[in-house]
Amino acid sequence: MLAERLQVACISTGNILREEVRRKTALGAAARRHMDKGELVPDDVMVGIVEDRLKQADCTSGFILDGFPRTVPQAEALDRVLTALGRHVDAVVNISVPSEELIKRLSGRRTCRDCDALYHIIFDPPTNAGICNKCNGELYQRDDDHEDIIVSRLDVYVRATAPLLAYYRRRNLLAEVDGTGGREDILGRILQTIDHVEAQAR
């Protein structure tokens, strides 16, 4: 929704990795060993993926990175990549949601095996249970959306990603956004906060 509103590319490292897993590539096999345990994929792998993606034509007018960086070393590597490309980070959005709410959201998520469309058994269920509205593909629960893996992912977040907030806060790039409520409400808060951060940076 944000990418559409800003008319920029949306780069989801999670989607890229899942596509590699689906295609059974060497990268996919290496990534899956970490993803299935709720662990972060090694920095060198992630940085290489992002660098290749940022060089594509649709990123020329801007981009949103979704799920990257997740650690301070990744952020430092991103700075180096962007500097080499003559680009920079405009704003970093941290969407804050209570852990209980995250577990409910993620454990209820279902993905189409054929077209990767997303549904939620509570908030956005398909018309027919277990079947994609778009292509009639089978819906499944990703391994990393099982509750025990989600709890592990949240623990990894606290240990590895929380220091990232301090990194961007020191650079006056961090925008804190309340991630509870409806999608349109959250989108509005993000847009408002991005405008504020960019105004401060000017």
Side-chain angles (χ1 to χ4, degrees):
M1 291 169 67
L2 184 60
E4 287 175 10
R5 186 70 62 92
L6 298 178
Q7 295 187 314
V8 297
C10 182
I11 302 170
S12 168
T13 51
N15 285 349
I16 292 171
L17 288 173
R18 282 186 287 276
E19 175 63 14
E20 295 292 331
V21 170
R22 190 185 69 77
R23 290 170 48 214
K24 298 183 177 175
T25 65
L27 170 61
R32 183 165 193 165
R33 287 195 294 271
H34 299 278
M35 294 165 66
D36 286 352
K37 297 175 187 174
E39 299 171 351
L40 295 181
V41 175
D43 289 350
D44 58 336
V45 175
M46 297 307 304
V47 172
I49 289 170
V50 170
E51 182 173 12
D52 288 346
R53 184 64 182 85
L54 289 174
K55 291 176 180 175
Q56 294 180 24
D58 63 336
C59 294
T60 304
S61 59
F63 54 87
I64 296 168
L65 286 168
D66 173 14
F68 182 91
R70 292 196 178 190
T71 66
V72 171
Q74 285 183 2
E76 293 170 340
L78 175 63
D79 288 339
R80 291 191 292 272
V81 168
L82 290 177
T83 298
L85 295 173
R87 314 292 291 275
H88 64 274
V89 173
D90 293 315
V92 176
V93 178
N94 179 49
I95 304 173
S96 302
V97 182
S99 295
E100 301 78 17
E101 178 69 13
L102 284 175
I103 292 170
K104 183 167 72 172
R105 287 183 188 179
L106 294 174
S107 63
R109 190 162 58 177
R110 299 294 182 270
T111 306
C112 176
R113 288 194 187 277
D114 297 331
C115 72
D116 291 326
L118 288 174
Y119 298 88
H120 195 282
I121 58 175
I122 299 172
F123 305 119
D124 186 23
T127 304
N128 298 303
I131 299 174
C132 177
N133 294 348
K134 297 177 181 178
C135 72
N136 291 323
E138 178 194 0
L139 301 184
Y140 74 103
Q141 185 180 37
R142 288 173 14 197
D143 290 338
D144 58 346
D145 282 345
H146 290 282
E147 188 166 334
D148 58 332
I149 299 296
I150 294 169
V151 172
S152 175
R153 288 167 64 191
L154 292 175
D155 180 58
V156 168
Y157 172 83
V158 170
R159 288 186 286 107
T161 309
L164 188 62
L165 304 183
Y167 175 83
Y168 283 118
R169 191 177 288 114
R170 286 193 298 272
R171 298 174 59 190
N172 295 318
L173 290 173
L174 184 65
E176 298 274 10
V177 173
D178 176 7
T180 59
R183 287 183 291 187
E184 287 289 345
D185 293 334
I186 298 167
L187 177 64
R189 290 180 207 136
I190 292 172
L191 290 167
Q192 235 179 1
T193 310
I194 288 173
D195 287 344
H196 178 69
V197 170
E198 290 181 333
Q200 281 186 320
R202 284 196 290 269

